[in-house]
Amino acid sequence: MAAATEPPKISSSPPENPENHQSVSAVLHRTLKSAPPQVLSANGKYVSFSDGSRILDTTCGAGVACIGYNDKRVREAMINQIDKFSYCNSMFFGHPIGEQLATELIHGTDGVMSKAYIMCSGSEAMEAAMKMARQYYMEVSPPQPQRVNFIAREGSYHGTTLGSLSMSGHVARRSLFTDMLLSNIGRVSACNAYRGMVEGQTVEEYVQQLADELDRKFQQMGPDTVCAFVAEPVVGATLGCVPAVPGYFKAMGEVCRKYGALLILDEVMSGMGRCGTLHVWQQEDVQPDIQTIAKGLGGGYASIAGMLINHRIADALKGGTGTFSHGHTYQGHPIACAAALEVQRIIRTENLVTNVRKTGHQLGALLHEYLDPHPQVGNVRGKGLFWGIEFVADKATKEPFPRSANIANLIHVKGMKLGISLYPGVGTMDGILGDHILLAPAYTSTPKEIKEISLKVKEVVYKTFEELPFITTS
């Protein structure tokens, strides 16, 4: 008879101490080729790492930590909610903190929007927006069941789930999953003045060109089959803070109305004060039917995102089934709502959006002053405290660097060494080629800090290119 095999011994303590930053990790990080720096603490605008280094977080992480880290007021609001209850089954129940947050959010739109739907991520918000757009056309009288298509833009990013990735136009992020993505989404050009406008073309002519392109796409897909046109008012990580030219969204909205389609604006990264108004569309002479929000909503204190719908959409549901055919276990999470409500109250009572507008003008002016002369800086663009810098091998032709040059990441790494965070991005030109970095400082930034940030960015950019063997200066 075979001897019994002893079960493996299980250690009573974890094999690794994360603070030691050892190479073996049980976490599925973004890359398994190397271990990421380990954050030990964050306070105000600074983040400290296990190797003893510290950076001024000039990107608020991924454009998230808009009021800084470790704000005691937000922490207290979250604890107070935990002391009451930490979870609520939204299938059957509501709660006061969710009602208060929704009221705060609708008030911030000056009553243009009607209802708020709270989830955990921007990707979830876009999925909800897509389903809401479709359901709207099934709720109106008479129903329009043929409306199943969407139109989105090249170079966009709307999320990482299959539906939201289908909506996205970023080549690299879609590439592994192309055969799995939805086929009911048409694509039109981004509004990118640096890459899209031709020499001698006026802004008005460029807007008309893009409006005509959208009109043709409606005709191609079938005008009465399109649910909505989807766009980011300022394209964030994929193109590097590219704002629309004046008049663009008004023109796009007119095309949508011509064919009875909805306008969905994705303000996950650019919204909630980041660009100098609480919502970017408040600067654009346009009002969305559906809007997605996230990052600046909760400031990183909790996982939270939202979808806002206007009165047109809400009235259709109310007059129809009265129910949104969608749901998440953690939607409207009480602790997340408490965090976001306090963040939004701080932004409102401390007039931080006004500060974003003022310091944003300063940041833009300084970046132009310091970086426009550099031979490898092709374009500096942005709005509020949301700025991008695109790098080129040839300034005259706008030719990008080859991917092998790894420009954006080299600048990010140099920035970390010199004490700031610079968010890198590639595929700026066509989804594959092109490099940029973006800046998204905290809403609480002072003029002194903005000057410090601008000088540090200048130092990082100049030093990075000075150290590249294939760059020659003349």
Side-chain angles (χ1 to χ4, degrees):
M1 186 174 182
T5 305
E6 290 189 10
K9 293 181 179 180
I10 300 176
S11 173
S12 61
S13 60
E16 303 288 352
N17 179 357
E19 294 190 12
N20 291 336
H21 193 193
Q22 296 185 17
S23 59
V24 178
S25 172
V27 177
L28 181 59
H29 291 293
R30 286 184 70 111
T31 175
L32 300 184
K33 302 289 188 181
S34 60
Q38 297 287 311
V39 175
L40 292 189
S41 64
N43 195 56
K45 302 177 183 76
Y46 289 87
V47 178
S48 299
F49 299 90
S50 58
D51 63 0
S53 64
R54 187 177 80 144
I55 63 166
L56 174 62
D57 189 0
T58 47
T59 62
C60 289
V64 175
C66 57
I67 64 167
Y69 299 93
N70 198 26
D71 189 291
K72 292 178 173 54
R73 295 165 293 181
V74 183
R75 182 172 61 185
E76 183 177 345
M78 297 173 75
I79 292 171
N80 286 342
Q81 182 57 48
I82 291 173
D83 287 343
K84 294 172 185 175
F85 57 92
S86 60
Y87 171 71
C88 175
N89 186 346
S90 61
M91 184 178 294
F92 303 109
F93 312 116
H95 49 77
I97 200 71
E99 296 289 343
Q100 293 171 46
L101 175 60
T103 299
E104 178 79 20
L105 293 176
I106 297 306
H107 178 76
T109 71
D110 297 318
V112 169
M113 307 307 274
S114 175
K115 303 290 182 183
Y117 186 83
I118 302 301
M119 297 151 283
C120 300
S121 74
S123 296
E124 289 181 12
M126 180 50 64
E127 296 276 346
M130 294 169 69
K131 292 176 73 174
M132 177 62 78
R134 165 61 177 174
Q135 185 172 342
Y136 166 78
Y137 288 106
M138 299 302 290
E139 299 279 359
V140 295
S141 181
Q144 301 178 40
Q146 77 279 6
R147 290 196 185 262
V148 295
N149 296 319
F150 292 86
I151 301 174
R153 304 191 300 182
E154 303 289 353
S156 60
Y157 185 61
H158 299 291
T160 193
T161 52
L162 287 176
S164 60
L165 188 61
S166 298
M167 192 69 74
S168 303
H170 193 271
V171 174
R173 298 189 185 195
R174 291 168 53 94
S175 60
L176 283 177
F177 311 103
T178 302
D179 293 339
M180 299 172 63
L181 300 181
L182 301 175
S183 60
N184 61 332
I185 298 171
R187 200 80 56 194
V188 293
S189 301
C191 182
N192 184 346
Y194 177 65
R195 290 284 177 187
M197 287 182 69
V198 299
E199 187 175 352
Q201 189 177 34
T202 66
V203 169
E204 291 77 15
E205 290 169 341
Y206 183 49
V207 168
Q208 189 59 54
Q209 170 189 318
L210 294 174
D212 290 343
E213 181 185 359
L214 180 61
D215 194 291
R216 289 193 300 273
K217 183 58 68 172
F218 267 97
Q219 293 291 336
Q220 177 188 334
M221 299 187 75
D224 65 343
T225 70
V226 177
C227 287
F229 171 61
V230 182
E232 302 156 276
V234 180
V235 183
T238 57
L239 293 185
C241 301
V242 174
V245 299
Y248 169 79
F249 276 104
K250 182 178 181 181
M252 299 302 109
E254 289 172 353
V255 176
C256 290
R257 285 193 296 275
K258 176 181 177 180
Y259 295 113
L262 304 178
L263 176 64
I264 299 176
L265 295 183
D266 180 345
E267 295 202 9
V268 163
M269 196 170 197
S270 62
M272 301 314 298
R274 172 58 62 190
C275 290
T277 48
L278 194 60
H279 306 286
V280 188
W281 55 261
Q282 291 169 324
Q283 305 173 44
E284 301 292 342
D285 194 22
V286 69
Q287 296 176 352
D289 295 293
I290 302 173
Q291 177 187 356
T292 58
I293 55 177
K295 300 176 185 290
L297 172 59
Y301 288 89
S303 300
I304 188 166
M307 175 186 66
L308 306 180
I309 60 173
N310 69 6
H311 295 273
R312 171 188 179 186
I313 307 298
D315 289 347
L317 262 67
K318 187 176 180 180
T321 63
T323 302
F324 180 31
S325 184
H326 189 65
H328 293 279
T329 298
Y330 297 114
Q331 74 183 55
H333 196 282
I335 299 171
C337 288
L341 178 60
E342 189 61 26
V343 169
Q344 293 308 306
R345 284 174 173 168
I346 290 169
I347 290 172
R348 173 169 50 81
T349 59
E350 296 188 0
N351 296 314
L352 293 185
V353 176
T354 299
N355 189 61
V356 169
R357 196 156 52 245
K358 291 179 179 178
T359 53
H361 285 308
Q362 179 193 6
L363 178 60
L366 289 174
L367 290 175
H368 279 296
E369 178 185 344
Y370 294 156
L371 295 175
D372 280 351
H374 194 284
Q376 265 63 63
V377 172
N379 189 233
V380 175
R381 67 289 187 113
K383 186 176 286 191
L385 286 177
F386 199 40
W387 284 82
I389 304 157
E390 183 172 345
F391 303 98
V392 291
D394 188 302
K395 201 157 187 166
T397 65
K398 304 180 184 178
E399 179 188 353
F401 286 96
R403 281 294 298 271
S404 58
N406 202 26
I407 297 296
N409 193 58
L410 289 175
I411 292 172
H412 162 72
V413 171
K414 177 64 72 174
M416 291 289 288
K417 290 179 180 177
L418 294 178
I420 63 170
S421 171
L422 298 172
Y423 193 123
V426 297
T428 323
M429 183 181 76
D430 58 5
I432 299 172
L433 296 176
D435 294 270
H436 67 262
I437 56 170
L438 65 81
L439 286 159
Y443 298 178
T444 53
S445 297
T446 64
K448 181 180 178 181
E449 289 170 331
I450 293 297
K451 182 66 178 291
E452 175 189 349
I453 291 168
S454 303
L455 286 169
K456 187 65 73 172
V457 173
K458 177 184 179 182
E459 180 186 7
V460 170
V461 170
Y462 274 79
K463 283 191 173 182
T464 301
F465 284 106
E466 286 169 3
E467 294 170 6
L468 292 177
F470 51 84
I471 297 293
T472 58
T473 58
S474 55

